[in-house]
Amino acid sequence: MSEIPGTTGDVVWQSSPPGSIYDYIRVASFSIGADGLIEQWSRRAAGLFGMAADEAIGRDPVEAFMPAELRSDGHRRVGEILDGKEWTGLVPFRMPGEGGAHGLAEVYVMPSETAEGERAALCIVVDVRALRRIETDLAASQAIFGQSPFGFVLFGTDFTVVRANQRFATVFGGAAEDHRGRTVDDYLPGPEADRLSATLKRVLETGESVTDLQLVGPTPGETGRRHWSMNLYRVHSGSGRPVGVAGLATDVTRRHIAAREAASARRNLALLNEASARIGNSLDLETTARELLDVAVPGFCDLAAVDLYQGLLTGEEAAPGSWAPAHRESAGGSAELRRVAHASAVADALPTAVAGSGAPGPDDLPPALGSVHRFPFGSPCAAALRSGHVEAVPGDDMGFVQSTLAVPMVAHDTVVGLVQFSRTKGSEPFGERDRALATELAARAAVCIDNARLYRREHERALILQRSLLPPGDPEAAGLDIACRYLPGNTATEVGGDWFDVIELPGHRTALVVGDVMGRGLRAAVAMGELRTAVRTLALLDLEPAEVLSALDEVARGLGSPGGGERSEGLGGSGGAQWPSRAAQKSREADLSEVYLATCVYAVYDPVTRRCTFANAGHLPPAVVEPGRPARLIDVPPGMPLGVGGEPFEEVEVELAENALLTLYTDGLVESRDQTLDEGLDALRSVLTGPQMPLEDACDFVLSTLDTRHGEDDIALLMARIQGLPGEAVGDWTLPREPRSVGRARELARSQLMSWDLDDLVDTTELLVSELVTNALRYGEGEIRLRLLRDRTLVCEVWDAGLVQPRRRRARDTDEGGRGLQLVGLLSAAWGSRRTPRGKTVWFELALPDGAPAAELSVEQLLSMY
């Protein structure tokens, strides 16, 4: 009850006290008059028995509610009560409102008197079924609350603990009763207590339950933190009034640890997957080290640094095993290392700071990026390099690094460097899983770095080989102004099979060669070198272009065979069947798997006639631009590529105009993934028809204008400006086949040299011309042709129709002749002979005088002729 404000001394009873026990049990009352009939009937009685007051008043309660077999005993009991005797007991009764069902009531009857002094009775009735339900509910609630393995706690409306079960008390200490009146601040640290208090208030106000509220806090007697999952819901009275908030707390520390380990395992797997995708995409050592740190920071650690052995970076050729730890350390400390990469996820922190590494430096700072240093012998980093195992480096109490892992980078039992992973204070310390992950990351990077080292070594060797096989940057040729370029596909595939060459031939002629071995890498470069050497050898034989390609095709077909394409010996002697041996069979199978195909265009230019003879082995056609005319492709029949065999090659002879521009190239210049071959050829013709410019500039203009940076294939470009020998630089005469032609040849040679102001060469030229013309008369056939050519050197050619090639031999002491060719070899800079379509040509070459006196033959040279 409560007093109404403003009313003094007046007491007002509330009609329905909230939270009363009567909200839970069914209690009714009625009174019996002196006649034994119902005199008063309460509303609760009407609700209990299902009978309104007007129906119940005036009726006999025994007859109305008790079963027939109990009515006689009921009347006796009523009589005793009216005589003034109290009675309490259980009485079955009928419930009219429930279809005649029987109930059980606990009845307390108290005798009373009416105003007239007559005896009456007041009956208080309690529904036993409701009491039994309450009893059952209490028992169940007590069993759940007290016997549950989970912590139950009930907070009142003031958010203090009203009740806690024993499980809750076991966790936080003391008995369950000791927790009454406590608040959340007694169990949790400040931030967590505030969060739980706010949640309790929200649940009490809104009635919305909260599930799986994660809380973290300490427990008495333990140093670590525990994790709880808490479910909260509002508790109501029978009338629906909120009376507090119930909480069910579950210790999920183990689940949290398992989840954290699972998350760590997933993170590690994700890091390894990322490492597989991101580390090793480059064949550059420093780039690979940076890729490792890009993966590790900040996903795995806060700071990291990579040091590689200096000898590895400088390309030092070491004996096998010399990179192993035992070979790289000495009593004075580690071998020299270079800091090639570092990374930091901490703002305003030294990105290379590694506590306890022992790395020297000014003011004990870590090595700077790019610096060369040594780790002291006793440092953990040096120990890791020596042992090849991970070393844990404790953090410095005064610094910000919590701990460091010094991990050697081991590839194929070889240590190539060291990576240091560090975590700052506030981060989770390294565990065993982290050590294993750090080892795996370092090992993957080490394998990539070692592969890059091996690739770089082999690549440099192949590059040296390829560059040594290409002609010098400024080749010279008579009657030609030449410019050439070679562009690798990209930096990673710089070694390829494209090549070009400029070969000087007798008679101031020049062979121009451009070829392309299919494929890339060292094998293509080696095949290119073999073909280039073969071309030079065949060119010196002064064969026709088609003959050169035919012989070159035979060479290409034998490139893939270790034996050079040789056939195996027969087993049955010269007359038996030629059965191949098992080794020969395997060799041929290997040959089929290593077929070298190449394309090549071979051209021979004669500056006297300005005629150029072409032969093509599956290569793109040469292009030519003549003054005042558009560029065109020379129609040279494209034969089969070298290495296919079976088809002859054809020749095409073309006369080129003065100042014409001849261009030979490989397919990388005109073909790519984004451009068809026809489009590329059209673009090349349009570029070549562009403005007139110096040849070197024209070469650069072609490369810069066309799409040459596609990185798909190598590019070889050879451009030659036609500059024929002027007529005054050529002396050409035909002599009859008679002895006096020898003297006539000397006269013609003397006269021509005098007109060229080459007086110093007159005597030598007369002597050698006399020898060659004499040999032509003695051993040759038909008319004799004498030709002198002056360009960078003086060339003399003697032609005749004979097919017998001159042979230099040593004359015997008694021989009167046989020393002419020996004399030619001694006095000339070079000499030789070649076949022609109508015979042969014997030639010699003399260097033009430079003003110095001519060297005289030594006694030994003169005696060598005898």
Side-chain angles (χ1 to χ4, degrees):
M1 64 184 176
S2 63
E3 294 184 357
I4 300 176
T7 304
T8 305
D10 296 334
V11 177
V12 177
W13 295 86
Q14 294 182 353
S15 60
S16 179
S20 171
I21 187 64
Y22 298 108
D23 294 338
Y24 300 96
I25 61 176
R26 304 176 69 182
V27 179
S29 65
F30 63 92
S31 63
I32 301 175
D35 56 0
L37 301 179
I38 298 174
E39 190 175 62
Q40 292 181 341
W41 189 254
S42 67
R43 291 181 180 179
R44 287 185 178 270
L48 177 63
F49 293 103
M51 184 179 290
D54 57 349
E55 296 180 84
I57 294 176
R59 296 187 65 177
D60 185 344
V62 174
E63 295 293 333
F65 302 110
M66 295 188 65
E69 63 272 12
L70 298 178
R71 290 174 183 171
S72 59
D73 186 54
H75 285 296
R76 182 175 59 80
R77 293 289 185 186
V78 171
E80 292 178 353
I81 293 170
L82 293 177
D83 288 340
K85 186 177 180 181
E86 292 186 2
W87 181 81
T88 300
L90 297 177
V91 178
F93 66 92
R94 292 180 300 171
M95 303 175 65
E98 298 186 11
H102 288 265
L104 184 63
E106 181 176 315
V107 182
Y108 177 45
V109 183
M110 295 174 289
S112 63
E113 291 182 359
T114 64
E116 292 79 13
E118 296 180 333
R119 294 184 177 180
L122 177 62
C123 301
I124 299 177
V125 183
V126 178
D127 189 351
V128 175
R129 295 181 305 171
L131 290 176
R132 294 294 182 268
R133 285 197 299 269
I134 293 173
E135 182 181 24
T136 302
D137 291 345
L138 288 174
S141 175
Q142 182 62 31
I144 294 174
F145 199 83
Q147 301 174 18
S148 171
F150 307 108
F152 271 95
V153 62
L154 178 63
F155 295 95
T157 54
D158 58 352
F159 305 120
T160 61
V161 176
V162 175
R163 186 178 181 186
N165 68 350
Q166 188 57 43
R167 174 59 182 168
F168 186 87
T170 301
V171 174
F172 291 99
E177 294 296 326
D178 298 338
H179 292 271
R180 291 182 183 273
R182 293 185 179 181
T183 64
V184 293
D185 295 302
D186 298 321
Y187 302 104
L188 298 172
E192 292 290 272
D194 294 341
R195 193 160 62 91
L196 179 56
S197 297
T199 305
L200 289 172
K201 183 178 180 181
R202 186 174 70 251
V203 171
L204 185 62
E205 291 176 351
T206 64
E208 296 179 358
S209 300
V210 173
T211 59
D212 197 22
L213 175 65
Q214 296 293 319
L215 299 171
V216 181
T219 55
E222 295 185 7
T223 57
R225 298 184 300 174
R226 301 191 72 81
H227 297 258
W228 292 280
S229 172
M230 200 163 192
N231 298 328
L232 300 173
Y233 57 93
R234 190 170 68 183
V235 180
H236 306 84
S237 67
S239 61
R241 179 179 62 88
V243 296
V245 178
L248 174 63
T250 306
D251 189 342
V252 294
T253 303
R254 291 184 179 179
R255 187 175 70 187
H256 180 80
I257 293 174
R260 184 173 59 189
E261 291 180 350
S264 177
R266 288 193 298 270
R267 181 198 66 185
N268 292 353
L269 288 175
L271 277 174
L272 289 178
N273 289 335
E274 185 180 5
S276 299
R278 297 180 60 182
I279 300 176
N281 293 321
S282 170
L283 290 172
D284 181 73
L285 303 181
E286 291 82 355
T287 301
T288 302
R290 288 193 296 270
E291 290 171 348
L292 168 62
L293 300 193
D294 290 341
V295 172
V297 179
F300 176 68
C301 62
D302 301 315
L303 306 170
V306 176
D307 298 285
L308 298 180
Y309 279 121
Q310 176 70 357
L312 179 146
L313 294 169
T314 56
E316 175 182 305
E317 290 292 340
S322 62
W323 294 111
H327 295 271
R328 303 303 302 169
E329 309 305 321
S330 63
S334 69
E336 286 188 343
L337 297 107
R338 185 194 304 173
R339 178 64 51 91
V340 296
H342 61 214
S344 171
V346 182
D348 300 328
L350 289 173
T352 56
V354 178
S357 65
D363 300 328
D364 295 329
L365 292 179
L369 183 64
S371 64
V372 178
H373 63 94
R374 296 175 184 267
F375 290 114
F377 184 82
S379 66
C381 293
L385 290 170
R386 286 194 302 273
S387 65
H389 300 296
V390 180
E391 291 287 337
V393 184
D396 186 358
D397 294 337
M398 301 301 294
F400 61 90
V401 174
Q402 182 187 73
S403 61
T404 297
L405 293 179
V407 187
M409 305 178 73
V410 183
H412 312 299
D413 297 328
T414 296
V415 177
V416 298
L418 184 79
V419 57
Q420 299 172 71
F421 301 109
S422 300
R423 287 181 179 173
T424 57
K425 292 182 178 178
S427 299
E428 186 177 352
F430 289 113
E432 287 301 319
R433 290 180 182 269
D434 296 323
R435 293 171 67 97
L437 177 61
T439 303
E440 180 65 22
L441 289 174
R444 294 195 179 197
V447 170
C448 296
I449 287 175
D450 194 51
N451 290 340
R453 176 182 68 85
L454 295 175
Y455 169 81
R456 184 175 66 179
R457 184 185 66 185
E458 297 303 322
H459 181 264
E460 288 176 351
R461 291 176 177 176
L463 199 57
I464 292 173
L465 170 64
Q466 184 188 41
R467 289 175 176 172
S468 67
L469 295 175
L470 292 175
D474 298 318
E476 296 181 353
L480 291 176
D481 184 12
I482 297 176
C484 47
R485 297 288 187 274
Y486 174 79
L487 294 181
N490 53 54
T491 56
T493 59
E494 192 170 349
V495 178
D498 290 16
W499 91 92
F500 61 88
D501 208 346
V502 178
I503 307 171
E504 293 187 47
L505 300 178
H508 286 314
R509 294 172 304 136
T510 303
L512 304 176
V513 188
V514 169
D516 183 2
V517 176
M518 298 181 186
R520 293 180 181 173
L522 184 60
R523 290 175 53 196
V526 170
M528 177 271 286
E530 294 187 21
L531 290 177
R532 179 178 180 270
T533 302
V535 169
R536 279 191 161 267
T537 303
L538 295 170
L540 294 178
L541 297 177
D542 215 353
L543 301 176
E544 296 297 323
E547 294 177 330
V548 171
L549 293 186
S550 296
L552 198 61
D553 177 63
E554 294 291 337
V555 174
R557 279 188 284 170
L559 287 182
S561 171
E566 296 177 1
R567 301 181 181 274
S568 59
E569 295 289 341
L571 298 180
S574 59
Q578 299 293 315
W579 293 99
S581 66
R582 181 178 296 271
Q585 180 69 23
K586 290 183 178 180
S587 176
R588 278 198 293 273
E589 292 175 358
D591 294 348
L592 294 177
S593 65
E594 293 191 14
V595 176
Y596 288 88
L597 298 178
T599 62
C600 179
V601 60
Y602 184 88
V604 175
Y605 172 69
D606 188 344
V608 178
T609 62
R610 292 201 316 275
R611 301 188 69 83
C612 191
T613 305
F614 297 91
N616 191 353
H619 202 79
L620 295 175
V624 64
V625 181
E626 296 180 336
R629 302 182 63 182
R632 62 184 176 90
L633 300 179
I634 300 177
D635 187 14
V636 182
M640 300 299 291
L642 301 176
V644 175
E647 294 292 334
F649 297 98
E650 300 183 38
E651 293 180 358
V652 171
E653 188 176 61
V654 178
E655 183 175 349
L656 302 174
E658 186 77 12
N659 290 323
L661 181 62
L662 178 65
T663 303
L664 306 179
Y665 53 93
T666 56
D667 56 356
L669 182 67
V670 295
E671 187 177 22
S672 67
R673 191 172 304 170
D674 301 325
Q675 178 177 256
T676 64
L677 180 59
D678 290 338
E679 293 173 344
L681 291 174
D682 291 339
L684 175 63
R685 285 196 294 267
S686 64
V687 170
L688 292 176
T689 315
Q692 294 290 327
M693 59 184 68
L695 194 57
E696 290 290 337
D697 296 340
C699 214
D700 294 332
F701 178 73
V702 170
L703 294 178
S704 61
T705 305
L706 299 180
D707 178 22
T708 59
R709 301 298 177 183
H710 47 72
E712 297 175 15
D713 199 0
D714 304 335
I715 296 174
L717 176 64
L718 177 62
M719 302 181 74
R721 183 89 65 188
I722 303 301
Q723 303 288 343
L725 286 181
E728 59 271 15
V730 178
D732 195 349
W733 307 274
T734 302
L735 303 174
R737 190 173 186 78
E738 55 188 29
R740 66 177 182 175
S741 294
V742 176
R744 178 61 179 164
R746 288 196 300 267
E747 294 175 0
L748 293 172
R750 170 181 289 272
S751 176
Q752 186 67 63
L753 292 181
M754 296 293 288
S755 66
W756 287 340
D757 295 328
L758 298 178
D759 300 9
D760 294 340
L761 299 181
V762 170
D763 294 338
T764 303
T765 304
E766 281 189 352
L767 176 60
L768 299 185
V769 166
S770 176
E771 289 293 336
L772 295 187
V773 173
T774 301
N775 286 342
L777 288 173
R778 181 177 299 179
Y779 305 109
E781 300 177 3
E783 291 183 330
I784 300 171
R785 181 181 177 186
L786 172 65
R787 188 168 75 168
L788 295 179
L789 305 175
R790 187 197 67 180
D791 191 67
R792 292 176 294 115
T793 61
L794 175 68
V795 173
C796 176
E797 298 175 327
V798 176
W799 303 17
D800 69 80
L803 299 178
V804 178
Q805 295 291 325
R807 181 173 61 88
R808 183 176 177 178
R809 62 184 180 84
R810 181 177 295 276
R812 293 174 294 183
D813 296 342
T814 57
D815 290 344
E816 295 182 359
R819 299 177 178 85
L821 292 181
Q822 289 185 350
L823 186 62
V824 172
L826 288 174
L827 297 179
S828 65
W831 79 279
S833 67
R834 67 178 184 272
R835 292 180 300 167
T836 63
R838 299 176 182 177
K840 67 176 180 298
T841 299
V842 183
W843 57 271
F844 66 84
E845 184 176 343
L846 296 176
L848 297 183
D850 55 2
E856 297 183 359
L857 294 178
S858 64
V859 177
E860 289 78 8
Q861 291 175 323
L862 293 174
L863 291 178
S864 66
M865 295 185 295
Y866 297 93

